[in-house]
Amino acid sequence: MNPKMPNKSLHCLSFLLLLTVAYAHLHVDHYRHSCPNVEAIVRSAVKQKFQETFVTAPATLRLFFHDCFVRGCDASVILATRNHTSEKDNADDLSLAGDGFDTVIKAKAAVDSVPQCRNKVSCADILAMATRDVVALTGGPTYDVELGRLDGRISTRASVRHHLPHPDFKLNQLHSLFTSHGLSKTDLIALSGAHTIGFAHCKLFFDRIHNFKSSNRIDPTLDPAYGKYLREVCPKNIDPRLVIDMDPNTPRKFDNMYYKNLQQGMGLFTSDQSLFTDKRSRKIVNLFASNNTAFEQAFVAAITKLGRVGVRTGNQGEIRHNCAMVN
Ligand code: HEM
Ligand SMILES: *[C@@H]1O[C@H](CO)[C@@H](O)[C@H](O)[C@H]1NC(C)=O
Ligand SMILES: *[C@@H]1O[C@H](CO)[C@@H](O)[C@H](O)[C@H]1NC(C)=O
């Protein structure tokens, strides 16, 4: 009846859309006015922590992945509850190394020691920056990090269920899980390259070397010599706390050795090796194995997309004062 109505509501709608886009969008210079030196402050804290222990690097990188895949990149993985019912208390997160949490807490303290920056920078953003810094510190690519995430107020053990990949997953399961977070097959393969650094507990690939298909065989997709080596370093009845390097060749270097290992049957988990065993992903593995620049470019694109998963804005979150507790 009112000819102006549709126009007006359309206008209103596009205004709302614009608002949503502006809010949901992350910016590399988000803290330009509120805390202009935030990147240097975080980098220096991360570097100091890294000099104390190498585990800082793999622990922080994995923590970021686990944060983003459960309720989005909102530092919910860092929240702790007295009754042990947070994300980090789920079995899938119990092996997250404490040094990753410690890195974020130390970098947050460094940021908050600058009066202008106090309580201005989210724990989720600090984790994203620290992740970028540990990749660079171990020889990986450098990249700009998008910022502007808010910290979530909810963290439950139950919400982890079905959101994190397991080491016995094959390509189909990995692909559908990554797709559900808006990540492509190429992103999956590039991000799996994170296993070029860090450690794994023997029990996670025990069946591949001691109990394949409930027999005393070694998984035939494993290189026989590597399988034999794994049996030696991870014998039956091993101390369950024992860890080994995931990349036996260049364990402390963020490089494309991971893909070269896969070509040799030296992927530690079924999830790793299946990227090469399966014809649908082998081509990309071969590309990353032969061209480190191609790997680095794909990794930067993928981790940037990972950093956008489920980002909280507006009243969906807060800037936590203590990364382990809601305000
Ligand atoms: C594709 C599916 C993936 C599976 C099934 C998987 C599984 C695992 C498992 C089981 C461990 C060993 C944990 C332990 O024994 O303590 C591990 C370690 C690790 N993962 Fe993954 N992961 C996957 C993808 C990723 C992604 C996307 C990233 C990061 C971008 C990542 C980063 C790491 C790092 C750095 C470590 C070493 C942690 C440490 O040394 O403390 N992983 N992963
Ligand atoms: C655990 O503690 C949190 C708050 O810290 C509370 O919301 C939750 O209901 C508690 N869960 C159980 C099972 O007691
Ligand atoms: C490696 O990959 C990069 C980036 O995709 C590309 O520009 C370059 O030409 C490739 N190098 C070779 C030798 O194929």
Side-chain angles (χ1 to χ4, degrees):
M1 274 195 267
N2 182 347
K4 273 189 181 156
M5 259 312 269
N7 213 347
K8 198 173 170 193
S9 53
L10 198 72
H11 189 80
C12 202
L13 187 75
S14 55
F15 175 71
L16 268 174
L17 271 174
L18 246 172
L19 210 71
T20 320
V21 170
Y23 267 135
H25 212 76
L26 301 166
H27 294 283
V28 292
D29 56 358
H30 181 82
Y31 295 106
R32 188 179 38 182
H33 300 297
S34 55
C35 181
N37 288 328
V38 67
E39 308 223 19
I41 300 166
V42 170
R43 193 178 302 116
S44 146
V46 172
K47 197 172 161 197
Q48 196 180 332
K49 170 82 188 162
F50 178 74
Q51 281 163 354
E52 284 162 24
T53 172
F54 174 81
V55 187
T56 300
T60 303
L61 180 52
R62 186 168 184 234
L63 188 63
F64 181 61
F65 169 51
H66 282 221
D67 183 35
C68 294
F69 262 39
V70 181
R71 309 188 77 93
C73 310
D74 68 345
S76 54
V77 72
I78 304 175
L79 285 173
T81 38
R82 264 183 229 284
N83 55 16
H84 303 291
T85 54
S86 320
E87 279 176 33
K88 72 206 271 294
D89 303 305
N90 184 291
D92 289 348
D93 278 339
L94 287 178
S95 64
L96 288 170
D99 288 307
F101 297 86
D102 195 42
T103 299
V104 177
I105 285 163
K106 290 207 159 115
K108 169 77 168 164
V111 170
D112 283 352
S113 71
V114 176
Q116 185 190 1
C117 302
R118 198 170 160 74
N119 299 330
K120 295 270 168 55
V121 183
S122 69
C123 301
D125 278 347
I126 288 175
L127 177 54
M129 285 183 266
T131 298
R132 180 266 310 271
D133 296 337
V134 296
V135 169
L137 281 166
T138 48
T142 52
Y143 56 93
D144 289 334
V145 183
E146 296 177 338
L147 300 167
R149 301 165 189 80
L150 288 179
D151 297 323
R153 295 189 189 90
I154 300 168
S155 177
T156 67
R157 206 162 46 187
S159 58
V160 178
R161 255 188 84 176
H162 305 309
H163 284 280
L164 290 172
H166 287 178
D168 61 346
F169 278 13
K170 296 214 171 114
L171 184 68
N172 276 343
Q173 290 159 291
L174 294 170
H175 191 199
S176 64
L177 185 61
F178 275 65
T179 301
S180 74
H181 294 290
L183 298 167
S184 68
K185 192 170 66 188
T186 303
D187 296 329
L188 158 68
I189 300 165
L191 287 169
S192 295
H195 289 177
T196 178
I197 55 168
F199 308 91
H201 291 81
C202 291
K203 63 168 189 278
L204 293 169
F205 50 90
F206 182 92
D207 283 2
R208 293 191 77 201
I209 56 171
H210 292 297
N211 193 28
F212 186 68
K213 299 224 155 111
S214 308
S215 73
N216 190 26
R217 289 193 301 144
I218 297 181
D219 184 338
T221 64
L222 267 177
D223 170 68
Y226 186 53
K228 208 167 147 262
Y229 160 81
L230 289 176
R231 274 188 172 197
E232 277 159 23
V233 291
C234 293
K236 289 180 180 171
N237 309 320
I238 189 73
D239 181 339
R241 288 165 303 181
L242 194 92
V243 295
I244 66 151
D245 290 324
M246 290 200 288
D247 170 0
N249 288 317
T250 55
R252 293 182 174 222
K253 204 160 171 5
F254 192 101
D255 56 11
N256 63 342
M257 184 62 77
Y258 171 80
Y259 305 99
K260 295 181 186 169
N261 291 340
L262 298 185
Q263 290 176 322
Q264 306 296 317
M266 291 169 68
L268 191 55
F269 303 135
T270 301
S271 59
D272 298 316
Q273 197 57 50
S274 80
L275 301 178
F276 182 76
T277 311
D278 198 309
K279 284 202 179 66
R280 294 168 296 174
S281 43
R282 187 181 298 164
K283 257 199 196 133
I284 301 173
V285 169
N286 287 338
L287 169 69
F288 293 166
S290 68
N291 187 333
N292 192 51
T293 311
F295 161 55
E296 288 193 340
Q297 280 181 4
F299 183 83
V300 167
I303 201 150
T304 302
K305 273 167 84 176
L306 177 65
R308 292 176 187 156
V309 172
V311 162
R312 282 170 207 290
T313 53
N315 61 5
Q316 304 168 317
E318 61 186 16
I319 292 183
R320 252 177 246 156
H321 299 178
N322 172 343
C323 290
M325 288 197 308
V326 294
N327 291 347

